[in-house]
């Protein structure tokens, strides 16, 4: 059967939660991965690969946020701060401690996870809007510590980071980074997809849906909230470490507060509570920002009254409009659209 | 119905995106019709049209694009048509890196890139060295000029500008005690770049008492706490680096606290005082900067080409913008000057980033079309100007008081006081 047949024929939970339900889906997934991991890096220009690399790093951080916000229901407005921790930890370990990037990356992720855990502790007493403000404070505290970190963090001047290397082979082209970043993105996406299908995943969804009822199901709410924070910050740490290795130089200005809002935007546009939706959201908005980058000068060229000054801030404007459109017309995001499209296709040509 | 409407909206957005992508490669350039046999050489530009720098830099594209257009019209580099490409760097190093990659994808690949942001200059330093593309930079910190790399800062380093400012302030000081000096500056790389061990030691050595360091965010809402500490410290002079949009908040808060006139505010070149006058009027009186540029009133006589670019600029700019007009333009003129020297050295067809880099390190006393002090780089020197103008707001008008030599206050510099 080429497509999934109409109706639900699963006879076990394993079948029900499978990522690919039919042989056709497995083939499509395999072709997609071959295309992503082999063909794209071979045929794309460095610029296109750089866009893929940025998207990959952002997807990793956004998936972490989705586990915390989309699945566990804890709003995090400090994701950019956690990414900064990962980036600086990686840079400090490679530059000051002369550790290999391959060791620095997981260590940076774990340390970032622990920092995230620290800021999760207030979730024992507060929730909702208040925990969101706590994470906002986390961003400010982290930035303050970095800017006042003297020679350790380089203060506002920033810190150089050693690029990843294998012996004499140094990662210094977009293609090299593509394999590293997209490889890790695939791996961590798969890990996240698995994670939310485990007992842990079901528990945090229960916490999100009703944290008063969850304890009666035997769920330790605080423990799961803290674990969700750890995983969210761990993913941010990986993204930050990759940023440090990719950019080779980091400053606090890489991690503005606004970026944390953008991450929430990725979830809104893609669909909070869905791993695939996160990818949709990031890809959509990142490509949109590239289009605006191209379109700004174009607009000034084609319509002279739109000078460069007039088109300044076009991305923020577009971003705002897109968020409003999604909140009004499709609060469940692109992922929900995708589900509708798949359902229609499954029973085509009898959509009703 | 709701679902259909959303589908239509989504379709419109995606359609718009695809249409822009299809058209985009054909745009984003400024060239003029030139003989077909001319070699095309690209100059890239990374203005910050979004974020804290946007208000000041929003007309940079008109200035730099206009200068390139004029150079083509005047056949500034015989046999060469210059192509101008810009991408919004958005006051954000991460976005600027993507913008930079987009510039690299231009055809032909840029031979030089113009940048206007300290943090972005720092972020790009390692990358451009690998890509072998020189940057003519508008922001400075020790990280940018030391060790010498592929980023060339056009002015004099901010610590040195701070030294020039205190030298000037000392000549104005009449009281029989040491003047009390405080830092009041943006809490970002550009804002802090002038604060170094060397500049602080120099300020002390000139007889100033350093009484505090206050930092304000890039987009401040209230600077009262910082100003109260300045008042507590009884500072006579505050020095810093911030754009007029932020300084306006400081001056308005100072006015509320009755502090206007109690201290002199001084700053590095990038504070557009004319823009400040627009924001706060008489509160700007007395604010003084170490300017890299002459006044617009002097253009017809001393910088006729700048005047011509201004006259031809298609967009109506505010009078305040005029004061900042020549500033980005100086950098693109340096870039064009380096391309011209490279063409003379290796031939138009062989000009690439390496050739322009070689031309930049051999640049001596280059005249940026009269807009500012002469530019000199060398194998080891990555800043261009050795003198600054002392500019001040008086009766809500910007005047130039003096020309000052900047002391060499980079680490190991000859004017750094011995410990």
């Amino acid at each position: 059967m080429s497509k999934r047949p109409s109706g639900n024929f699963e006879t076990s939970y394993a079948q029900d939660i499978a990522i690919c339900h039919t042989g056709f889906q497995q083939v499509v997934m395999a072709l997609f991965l071959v295309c992503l991991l082999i063909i794209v890096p071979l045929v794309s220009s460095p610029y296109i690969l750089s866009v893929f690399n940025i998207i990959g790093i952002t997807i990793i951080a956004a998936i972490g946020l989705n586990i915390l916000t989309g699945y566990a229901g804890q709003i995090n407005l400090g994701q950019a701060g956690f990414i900064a921790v990962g980036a600086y930890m990686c840079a400090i370990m490679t530059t000051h401690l002369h550790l290999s990037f391959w060791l620095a990356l997981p260590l940076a992720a774990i340390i970032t996870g622990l920092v995230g855990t620290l800021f999760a502790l207030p979730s024992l007493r507060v929730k909702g809007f208040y925990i969101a403000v706590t994470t906002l404070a986390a961003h400010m505290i982290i930035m303050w510590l970095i800017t006042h970190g003297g020679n350790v963090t380089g203060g506002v001047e920033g810190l150089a980071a050693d690029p990843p290397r294998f012996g004499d082979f140094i990662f210094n082209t977009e293609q090299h980074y593509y394999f590293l970043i997209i490889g890790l993105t695939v791996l961590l996406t798969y890990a996240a997809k698995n994670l939310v299908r485990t007992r842990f995943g079901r528990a945090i969804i229960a916490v999100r849906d009703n944290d008063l009822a969850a304890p009666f199901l035997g769920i330790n709410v605080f423990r799961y909230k803290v674990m969700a924070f750890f995983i969210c910050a761990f993913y941010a740490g990986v993204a930050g470490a990759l940023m440090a290795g990719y950019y080779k130089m980091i400053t606090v200005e890489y991690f503005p507060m606004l970026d944390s809002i953008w991450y929430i935007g990725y979830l809104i546009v893609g669909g909070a509570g869905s791993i695939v939706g996160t990818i949709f959201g990031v890809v959509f908005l990142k490509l949109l920002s590239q289009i605006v980058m191209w379109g700004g000068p174009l607009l000034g060229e084609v319509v002279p009254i739109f000078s460069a000054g007039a088109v300044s801030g076009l991305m923020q404007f577009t971003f705002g409009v897109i968020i409003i459109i999604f909140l009004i017309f499709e609060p469940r995001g692109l992922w929900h659209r995708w589900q509708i499209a798949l359902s229609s296709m499954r029973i085509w040509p009898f959509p009703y | 119905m709701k679902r259909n409407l959303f589908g239509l909206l989504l379709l419109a957005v995606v359609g718009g995106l695809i249409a822009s992508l299809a058209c985009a490669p054909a745009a984003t350039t400024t060239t003029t019709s030139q003989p077909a046999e001319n070699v095309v050489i690209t100059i890239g530009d990374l203005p910050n049209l979004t974020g804290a720098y946007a208000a000041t830099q929003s007309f940079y594209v008109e200035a730099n694009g206009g200068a390139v257009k004029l150079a083509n019209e005047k056949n500034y580099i015989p046999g060469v048509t210059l192509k101008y490409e810009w991408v919004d760097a958005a006051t954000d190093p991460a976005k600027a890196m993507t913008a930079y990659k987009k510039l690299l994808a231009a055809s032909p690949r840029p031979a030089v890139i113009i940048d206007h942001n300290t943090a972005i200059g720092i972020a790009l330093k390692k990358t451009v060295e690998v890509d072998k593309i020189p940057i003519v930079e508008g922001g400075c910190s020790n990280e940018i000029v030391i060790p010498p790399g592929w980023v060339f800062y056009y002015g004099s380093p901010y610590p040195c500008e701070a030294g020039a400012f205190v030298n000037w302030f000392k000549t104005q000081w009449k009281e029989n005690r040491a003047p009390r000096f405080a830092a009041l500056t943006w809490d970002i790389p550009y804002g802090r770049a002038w604060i170094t061990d060397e500049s602080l030691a120099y300020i002390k050595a000139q007889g100033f008492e350093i009484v505090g360091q206050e930092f304000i965010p890039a987009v401040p809402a209230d600077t009262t706490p910082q100003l109260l500490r300045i008042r507590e410290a009884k500072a006579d002079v505050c020095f810093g680096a911030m754009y007029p949009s932020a300084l306006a908040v400081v001056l308005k808060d100072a006015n509320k606290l009755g502090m206007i006139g109690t201290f002199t505010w001084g700053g590095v070149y990038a504070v557009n005082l004319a823009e400040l006058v627009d924001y706060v009027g008489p509160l700007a009186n007395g604010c003084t900067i170490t300017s890299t540029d002459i006044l617009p009133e002097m253009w017809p006589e001393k910088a006729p080409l700048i005047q011509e670019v201004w006259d031809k600029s298609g967009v109506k700019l505010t009078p305040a913008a005029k004061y900042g007009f020549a500033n980005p333009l100086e950098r693109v003129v340096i870039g064009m000057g380096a391309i011209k020297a490279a063409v003379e050295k290796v031939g138009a067809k062989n000009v690439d980033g390496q050739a322009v880099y070689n031309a930049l390190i051999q640049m001596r006393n280059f005249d940026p079309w009269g807009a500012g002090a002469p530019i000199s780089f060398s194998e080891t020197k990555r800043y261009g100007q050795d003198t600054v103008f002392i500019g001040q707001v008086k009766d809500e008008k910007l005047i130039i008081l003096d020309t000052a030599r900047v002391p060499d206050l980079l680490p190991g510099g000859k004017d750094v006081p011995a410990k």
Side-chain angles (χ1 to χ4, degrees):
Chain A
M1 190 64 206
S2 62
K3 288 182 291 189
R4 196 180 181 194
S6 56
N8 198 337
F9 300 99
E10 270 91 30
T11 54
S12 68
Y13 285 123
Q15 283 178 357
D16 192 42
I17 62 172
I19 294 171
C20 298
H21 294 272
T22 66
F24 175 73
Q25 287 179 351
Q26 286 171 352
V27 170
V28 169
M29 178 65 83
L31 284 176
F32 172 74
L33 289 176
V34 167
C35 187
L36 186 71
L37 295 172
I38 298 172
I39 298 173
V40 169
L42 292 179
V43 301
S44 301
S45 69
Y47 166 62
I48 299 288
L49 290 180
S50 79
V51 175
F52 270 98
N53 288 338
I54 301 291
I55 287 176
I57 291 172
T58 312
I59 284 175
I60 292 172
I63 285 177
L65 182 67
N66 200 7
I67 289 171
L68 180 64
T69 301
Y71 286 94
Q74 309 301 303
I75 296 174
N76 173 8
L77 298 178
Q79 189 71 341
F82 293 133
I83 297 170
V85 174
Y88 272 90
M89 279 300 149
C90 182
I92 288 167
M93 282 188 261
T94 56
T95 308
H96 295 327
L97 305 178
H98 305 292
L99 290 183
S100 152
F101 176 84
W102 308 109
L103 188 58
L105 186 140
L107 283 177
I110 291 168
I111 292 169
T112 310
L114 293 174
V115 171
T117 307
L118 192 68
F119 287 103
L121 295 179
S123 67
L124 178 65
R125 303 296 297 270
V126 298
K127 60 182 180 180
F129 176 70
Y130 300 97
I131 196 76
V133 174
T134 306
T135 56
L136 201 64
H139 183 276
M140 291 173 182
I141 292 167
I142 288 165
M143 290 302 137
W144 189 90
L145 288 172
I146 291 171
T147 49
H148 294 82
N151 289 335
V152 178
T153 61
V156 291
E157 294 270 330
L159 197 60
D162 279 352
R165 64 179 76 206
F166 283 118
D168 291 338
F169 177 80
I170 300 173
F171 282 62
N172 57 12
T173 68
E174 292 296 337
Q175 207 175 39
H176 296 161
Y177 282 107
Y178 180 90
F179 287 116
L180 171 65
I181 293 169
I182 300 299
L184 267 175
T185 306
V186 170
L187 199 68
L188 289 169
T189 303
Y190 182 65
K193 185 74 185 166
N194 275 346
L195 198 65
V196 296
R197 295 183 298 163
T198 59
R199 177 185 162 81
F200 167 80
R202 290 189 294 277
I204 58 172
I205 290 168
V207 170
R208 175 195 68 191
D209 290 346
N210 193 331
D211 65 348
L212 293 176
F216 295 97
L217 298 169
I219 294 166
N220 182 334
V221 173
F222 176 62
R223 181 171 158 233
Y224 279 104
K225 280 183 182 176
V226 170
M227 282 170 72
F229 261 99
F230 176 85
I231 291 164
C232 170
F234 179 90
Y235 270 71
V238 174
L242 286 173
M243 268 181 86
Y246 180 53
Y247 291 136
K248 303 180 197 73
M249 181 84 209
I250 47 165
T251 71
V252 282
E253 295 195 18
Y254 274 105
F255 315 100
M257 183 92 73
L258 194 63
D259 273 12
S260 299
I261 310 296
W262 276 86
Y263 277 98
I264 297 286
Y266 297 136
L267 301 194
I268 291 171
V269 171
S274 158
I275 300 295
V276 178
T278 312
I279 297 170
F280 283 163
V282 172
V283 171
F284 182 80
L285 283 175
K286 283 289 177 188
L287 288 183
L288 189 69
S289 74
Q290 292 301 310
I291 302 284
V292 171
M293 195 183 270
W294 285 94
L298 172 77
L299 201 59
E301 192 83 9
V302 176
V303 191
I305 56 160
F306 287 109
S307 65
V311 299
S312 66
L314 193 62
M315 186 56 211
Q316 263 84 342
F317 171 79
T318 315
F319 178 67
V321 170
I322 293 282
I323 295 288
I324 291 168
I325 288 173
F326 270 86
L327 284 175
I328 294 173
F329 295 106
E330 189 51 283
R332 283 173 290 183
L334 287 170
W335 171 77
H336 184 239
R337 274 294 126 180
W338 176 245
Q339 290 299 311
I340 292 170
L342 283 183
S343 306
S344 303
M345 199 172 72
R346 211 169 61 182
I347 53 177
W348 187 86
F350 307 108
Y352 301 105
Chain B
M1 181 62 195
K2 204 175 170 185
R3 187 176 287 178
N4 289 342
L5 187 58
F6 178 79
L8 279 175
L9 279 169
L10 201 60
L11 201 67
V13 170
V14 173
L17 300 186
I18 292 166
S20 333
L21 254 190
C23 304
T28 77
T29 61
T30 297
T31 52
T32 46
S33 54
Q34 293 285 313
E37 65 272 17
N38 267 11
V39 174
V40 176
I41 297 176
T42 306
I43 296 180
D45 194 5
L46 291 169
N48 298 283
L49 305 179
T50 314
Y53 288 15
T56 295
Q57 299 198 2
S58 60
F59 54 85
Y60 277 22
V61 171
E62 276 73 41
N64 287 353
V68 171
K69 203 170 172 183
L70 186 73
N72 283 335
E73 283 169 10
K74 298 210 177 275
N75 202 18
Y76 179 67
I77 310 174
V80 169
T81 299
L82 294 167
K83 180 177 161 191
Y84 174 70
E85 293 253 359
W86 66 270
V87 186
D88 180 9
T91 327
D92 179 339
K95 290 191 178 77
M97 291 300 277
T98 315
Y100 164 76
K101 304 277 180 191
K102 192 207 156 216
L103 279 183
L104 285 198
S107 179
R109 184 172 137 135
V112 63
I113 289 176
I114 316 299
D115 182 52
H116 318 272
N117 183 315
T118 305
I120 293 172
I122 294 171
L124 283 172
K125 190 177 178 186
K126 279 194 166 187
T127 305
V128 294
E129 204 158 336
V130 174
D131 294 334
K132 296 200 177 303
I133 304 234
I135 299 248
V136 180
E137 176 60 57
C140 188
S141 74
N142 282 358
E143 296 284 320
I144 283 179
V145 292
I146 304 168
W150 284 62
V151 182
F152 295 78
Y153 171 59
Y154 87 110
S156 50
Y158 299 146
C160 309
E161 285 195 20
F165 174 81
V166 295
N167 285 344
W168 168 80
F169 188 82
K170 211 168 62 172
T171 63
Q172 311 297 308
W173 186 246
K174 301 282 187 274
E175 291 192 35
N176 198 17
R177 62 172 171 82
R180 288 184 285 263
F181 179 97
L184 179 59
T185 192
W186 252 351
D187 195 7
I188 60 172
Y190 157 61
R192 285 176 175 261
W194 67 273
I195 304 172
T196 61
D197 291 345
E198 292 78 16
S199 66
L200 295 179
Y202 184 80
I203 292 164
K204 274 185 197 161
Q206 298 310 304
F208 286 75
E209 181 191 351
I210 298 177
V211 293
Q213 290 187 12
E214 296 299 333
F215 301 96
I216 63 166
V219 188
D222 181 14
T223 58
T224 305
Q226 288 90 343
L227 285 167
L228 286 175
R229 285 193 290 270
I230 292 283
R231 183 158 74 182
E232 186 80 9
K234 295 183 179 148
D236 301 304
V237 55
C238 294
F239 191 80
M242 64 182 100
Y243 272 15
S245 50
L247 183 55
V249 178
V250 172
L251 292 174
K252 284 179 178 172
D253 287 344
N255 190 38
K256 277 186 216 157
L257 296 169
M259 290 174 68
I260 293 293
T262 61
F263 65 87
T264 299
W265 192 86
V268 299
Y269 88 85
V271 186
N272 180 339
L273 290 180
E275 195 182 327
L276 183 70
V277 172
D278 262 7
Y279 292 153
V280 296
L283 297 183
N285 286 339
C287 288
T288 308
I289 58 164
T290 47
S291 175
T292 54
D293 318 311
I294 62 170
L295 297 178
E297 291 80 3
M298 299 153 87
W299 290 351
E301 187 197 343
K302 297 202 167 175
L305 288 176
I306 305 287
Q307 181 67 43
E308 200 171 336
V309 177
W310 168 260
D311 290 341
K312 288 181 175 173
S313 64
V315 182
K316 195 174 182 313
L317 300 174
T318 62
K322 193 173 180 180
Y323 285 86
F325 192 78
N327 181 269
L329 205 148
E330 263 184 77
R331 296 189 275 282
V332 89
V333 169
I334 293 167
M336 290 193 291
I339 290 173
K340 186 175 184 173
V343 167
E344 284 162 6
K345 188 103 177 172
V346 300
K349 285 182 181 163
N350 299 319
V351 168
D352 57 5
Q354 180 71 57
V356 176
Y357 170 86
N358 293 341
L360 279 167
I361 59 174
Q362 285 162 16
M363 189 173 266
R364 304 282 186 277
N365 290 318
F366 174 77
D367 172 18
W369 289 4
I375 309 290
S376 298
F377 298 112
S378 75
E379 283 282 358
T380 53
K381 181 172 172 264
R382 287 294 177 273
Y383 65 91
Q385 295 179 335
D386 298 305
T387 55
V388 288
F389 305 106
I390 303 293
Q392 191 180 63
V393 179
K394 200 170 182 184
D395 299 327
E396 297 181 51
K397 293 235 177 322
L398 180 58
I399 55 168
I400 284 183
L401 298 172
D402 206 352
T403 304
R405 185 191 75 84
V406 288
D408 180 2
L409 298 179
L410 292 177
K414 63 179 188 300
D415 295 311
V416 178
K419 282 181 183 170

